[in-house]
Amino acid sequence: MYRILLVDDEILVRDAIRENIDWAGLDCELVGDCENGQVAAEFIKTHEVDIVLTDICMPYMDGMELSHFLHDNYPDIVIVVFSGFGEFEYAKKAIQYNVSEYLLKPITAMELREVIGRMKIIVDQKQREKKKIENLTSASSSYKKNALMIRSKGVEALVKGTRDSEQSIRELQNMGISMEASDYRVAVIEMDLYSELSLISAEKRKESALMAFVLFNVCDEIITRENAGIVYQAGDNRSCVIYKDCAMFDSMKINRISREIQQNMKELMGMDVSIGIGVTVRSLEKLIKSYQTAEEALSRKYLLGGNLLIDMEQQETCDLSCFSLEKPLQEFAYAIKTGKKEEMELMLAKMEQAIKDAFLSEEQVGIYLQKIIQSAVTVSKQMVGDFTSLLKQQDKVVLKVLEQKSFQLALQAVKEYVQAVFEELQKISGSSGQRQALLAMDYIQTHYMEQDLSLNSVCSYLNISTSYFSTIFKEETGETFTEVLIRTRMDKAKELLSNTTLKNYEIAEMVGFSDPHYFGISFKKATGKTPTEYAKEMRR
């Protein structure tokens, strides 16, 4: 039977609610009705209450003050607030005090029955959570009375090298624990739900510490049964295993044990855990190396999500020096320029998969996601200049991306921004002439070094006539095709003359001139200096 307290300063409202609801049929009991929050607060001090139905506007103590009182002193009570006022400030306070429902008057009997039904579910959930905490607290109290905590601290000090290894070994031997073996591997088992402890509430932090005992016991029971090594607790969200004499059994056994730990935690607590298994080491002094590689495996949770099982001895190494997104970034930018949404999304998907396949670190992922954002921004500036607030939002989007705790959330923020840029460009640069001029500029930037680049080749690429192209290109850019091509080639030549020791004829060929003499004439006409004079001036 669910105990309900009604609070409203209007006696007619209280009478109507009391008489028009079949409380017994809802498996509920109306344990009292109070005329204001002050009376209700005194009532609750001496009576068991599961659900409070309260008006907002009342004398002495209003509904928000009562909600505040309940939030601070009786967090298990479920609160439903109803009022004739719809101001947002009330709603914000209701959220602040964990109010479960916020309803506007008038409320029908049917609406109230439906709300009570939903509140009963919340009451049941709170009671289950409370029971779980009580059970875990009981288990942890028993745990703290034995030597397991001392054992964990001793083994952890040995693994991390925070104390003299001989001293740690002696202490463990005094507890009947031998660390002697031919080789070792460290596995780190982490509860996914609590992996970001800085972001969870004090209640959840307490629960995580209690759940850690459950995780330890699950691991210890399986490892002891398999005679595979020793388990120790490492903080409020982890347990670690030191596998001993691994050469006597293969990685399949370690992986089978790991999957059993994951399955048991899922069945017992409905919780996912991720496991990273470090490399094999031959001495206790090198345990830290195995531990660090296990930690490296778990760092991939950012990229791959939770419920992971990664054995670092079975992972293929990726040569990051060869990793590049240059080509898909170019195709991504081109898709935005040409208004091809499906192609843009395909390139995003390709870059996502490439990042995952390379097992990039969180820092490296952040760099490449910023490159995607910058690519979209660069295209938009090329097309229409500095437009609207989207470009101003770039820094905020980058910050949002870097704050995310998973690759998928960070990528989603990137996709939302890119989509907004794409849609804005579609609205702003919708003219065919503007888009074709932009594509021609892009083509020149990409093919300027080709000696046979001509007006005809660009028009063939755009599939339009030379006369039409010449007209729209001049209108959109203010320059002719030849003027843009020469300027582009001269700009590239100036870069090479400033930053390299290449010969003039080599540079001429690299920027699309077959005749070095003609290159020299064109360069002096554009800059007022010969290539040699320009190079000497810039290399001083």
Side-chain angles (χ1 to χ4, degrees):
M1 183 85 50
Y2 300 85
R3 295 156 297 200
I4 297 179
L5 176 65
L6 174 62
V7 188
D8 196 303
D9 62 328
E10 297 183 35
I11 188 170
L12 293 179
V13 172
R14 299 201 306 273
D15 290 344
I17 292 176
R18 185 192 313 110
E19 295 170 4
N20 289 311
I21 299 295
D22 180 9
W23 301 102
L26 292 174
D27 191 27
C28 294
E29 177 188 1
L30 188 63
V31 294
D33 59 275
C34 303
E35 60 188 13
N36 58 60
Q38 189 176 78
V39 176
E42 292 301 319
F43 182 90
I44 288 168
K45 291 177 182 179
T46 55
H47 296 79
E48 293 287 335
V49 176
D50 299 312
I51 302 170
V52 169
L53 309 175
T54 180
D55 188 18
I56 286 184
C57 189
M58 298 180 293
Y60 304 111
M61 178 188 283
D62 64 23
M64 286 300 96
E65 292 171 318
L66 175 60
S67 298
H68 192 176
F69 168 78
L70 296 176
H71 173 269
D72 291 348
N73 298 282
Y74 298 91
D76 292 333
I77 292 179
V78 176
I79 308 168
V80 176
V81 168
F82 46 83
S83 172
F85 298 92
E87 289 86 346
F88 183 60
E89 286 303 312
Y90 283 125
K92 284 202 297 187
K93 287 185 178 180
I95 293 170
Q96 178 183 350
Y97 299 137
N98 290 340
V99 171
S100 297
E101 289 276 355
Y102 181 82
L103 304 174
L104 293 178
K105 288 181 177 179
I107 306 167
T108 67
M110 179 179 294
E111 287 175 329
L112 192 54
R113 285 194 294 270
E114 290 175 353
V115 168
I116 290 172
R118 292 196 295 271
M119 296 309 100
K120 287 163 57 179
I121 294 173
I122 296 175
V123 170
D124 292 342
Q125 182 180 350
K126 283 177 174 281
Q127 289 178 349
R128 285 195 299 270
E129 289 292 321
K130 187 176 181 180
K131 185 68 174 177
K132 183 172 71 173
I133 295 295
E134 289 174 352
N135 291 340
L136 290 170
T137 302
S138 176
S140 67
S141 297
S142 300
Y143 177 85
K144 290 177 181 177
K145 292 178 182 178
N146 58 39
L148 292 179
M149 185 67 75
I150 300 173
R151 184 183 86 175
S152 288
K153 289 186 178 298
V155 179
E156 184 173 25
L158 182 63
V159 170
K160 294 186 176 181
T162 54
R163 283 191 303 182
D164 178 70
S165 59
E166 291 186 3
Q167 179 185 351
S168 296
I169 291 170
R170 283 196 301 272
E171 289 180 359
L172 293 171
Q173 285 176 339
N174 291 335
M175 288 184 275
I177 299 169
S178 172
M179 295 301 298
E180 193 172 325
S182 60
D183 53 36
Y184 310 88
R185 292 187 75 183
V186 178
V188 179
I189 303 101
E190 182 175 80
M191 297 181 290
D192 292 339
L193 181 62
Y194 306 109
S195 57
E196 290 294 339
L197 288 180
S198 61
L199 302 180
I200 63 177
S201 64
E203 183 178 347
K204 283 292 183 183
R205 194 185 304 275
K206 177 183 177 182
E207 182 178 318
S208 74
L210 299 171
M211 284 288 194
F213 294 118
V214 177
L215 176 61
F216 173 88
N217 288 326
V218 167
C219 296
D220 192 51
E221 180 180 340
I222 296 172
I223 296 299
T224 301
R225 184 196 70 206
E226 297 287 338
N227 193 29
I230 185 169
V231 181
Y232 69 92
Q233 189 178 346
D236 287 345
N237 69 319
R238 285 180 168 186
S239 283
C240 295
V241 179
I242 301 179
Y243 288 100
K244 299 195 298 181
D245 294 318
C246 306
M248 297 175 61
F249 53 87
D250 56 24
S251 291
M252 291 181 63
K253 180 176 180 179
I254 295 179
N255 281 266
R256 175 179 59 77
I257 291 172
S258 298
R259 284 191 292 272
E260 185 177 353
I261 290 171
Q262 288 180 318
Q263 182 179 348
N264 283 11
M265 285 299 293
K266 190 69 173 178
E267 291 176 353
L268 287 172
M269 308 307 299
M271 179 179 293
D272 289 331
V273 298
S274 291
I275 302 177
I277 306 168
V279 297
T280 301
V281 294
R282 307 295 175 187
S283 67
L284 290 171
E285 288 75 14
K286 294 182 178 179
L287 279 174
I288 183 65
K289 179 183 177 182
S290 187
Y291 175 81
Q292 288 171 341
T293 53
E295 285 242 289
E296 181 186 343
L298 284 184
S299 70
R300 295 177 181 173
K301 284 174 64 175
Y302 171 82
L303 191 64
L304 303 176
N307 198 30
L308 293 182
L309 173 54
I310 298 180
D311 185 335
M312 292 300 283
E313 290 191 349
Q314 296 179 349
Q315 296 297 303
E316 295 182 5
T317 57
C318 178
D319 185 2
L320 293 181
S321 63
C322 299
F323 179 79
S324 173
L325 291 182
E326 183 176 354
K327 190 173 187 301
L329 273 173
Q330 289 175 351
E331 295 181 16
F332 166 74
Y334 183 73
I336 296 178
K337 289 177 184 178
T338 54
K340 297 178 180 178
K341 184 178 179 181
E342 290 184 2
E343 186 70 19
M344 177 190 75
E345 292 173 346
L346 177 62
M347 287 305 105
L348 280 171
K350 282 188 175 182
M351 289 187 282
E352 174 184 358
Q353 193 58 51
I355 288 172
K356 286 183 176 180
D357 290 343
F359 288 120
L360 299 182
S361 68
E362 183 175 346
E363 181 180 357
Q364 291 167 328
V365 170
I367 291 171
Y368 282 105
L369 291 181
Q370 288 181 71
K371 286 185 177 183
I372 295 174
I373 293 171
Q374 186 57 49
S375 180
V377 169
T378 300
V379 170
S380 62
K381 287 181 177 179
Q382 290 172 348
M383 293 181 71
V384 291
D386 193 8
F387 72 101
T388 70
S389 61
L390 279 173
L391 295 179
K392 297 176 183 177
Q393 292 174 12
Q394 180 185 356
D395 290 342
K396 291 182 180 179
V397 173
V398 169
L399 182 60
K400 180 180 179 181
V401 166
L402 298 179
E403 286 176 343
Q404 300 308 311
K405 297 304 177 184
S406 76
F407 172 54
Q408 288 305 319
L409 291 175
L411 182 63
Q412 183 59 37
V414 171
K415 287 180 177 179
E416 289 172 359
Y417 181 71
V418 167
Q419 179 66 27
V421 170
F422 182 87
E423 291 175 357
E424 191 73 13
L425 290 176
Q426 289 295 98
K427 290 186 289 185
I428 294 175
S429 61
S431 76
S432 174
Q434 185 179 23
R435 191 171 293 279
Q436 287 176 325
L438 174 71
L439 292 175
M441 294 287 285
D442 183 68
Y443 191 85
I444 292 169
Q445 287 288 329
T446 308
H447 298 270
Y448 70 89
M449 72 292 296
E450 298 174 6
Q451 295 175 10
D452 59 350
L453 178 60
S454 66
L455 178 64
N456 286 331
S457 58
V458 175
C459 291
S460 176
Y461 166 69
L462 296 175
N463 196 28
I464 57 177
S465 69
T466 54
S467 59
Y468 174 67
F469 171 76
S470 297
T471 300
I472 63 169
F473 192 78
K474 179 73 172 178
E475 287 177 353
E476 296 293 342
T477 66
E479 298 177 281
T480 67
F481 165 77
T482 301
E483 288 170 340
V484 171
L485 177 58
I486 291 296
R487 176 171 54 78
T488 301
R489 284 173 167 172
M490 293 302 104
D491 288 343
K492 300 298 181 181
K494 286 190 284 186
E495 288 180 19
L496 292 170
L497 288 166
S498 300
N499 302 312
T500 72
T501 57
L502 294 170
K503 303 293 184 183
N504 288 351
Y505 74 87
E506 294 174 312
I507 292 175
E509 185 177 351
M510 292 175 69
V511 298
F513 285 85
S514 58
D515 183 353
H517 179 67
Y518 180 58
F519 166 67
I521 294 172
S522 299
F523 190 87
K524 185 167 184 178
K525 183 178 179 181
T527 66
K529 301 180 180 69
T530 67
T532 301
E533 290 170 343
Y534 184 86
K536 285 182 179 179
E537 183 178 311
M538 298 306 294
R539 295 175 189 172
R540 286 176 184 170

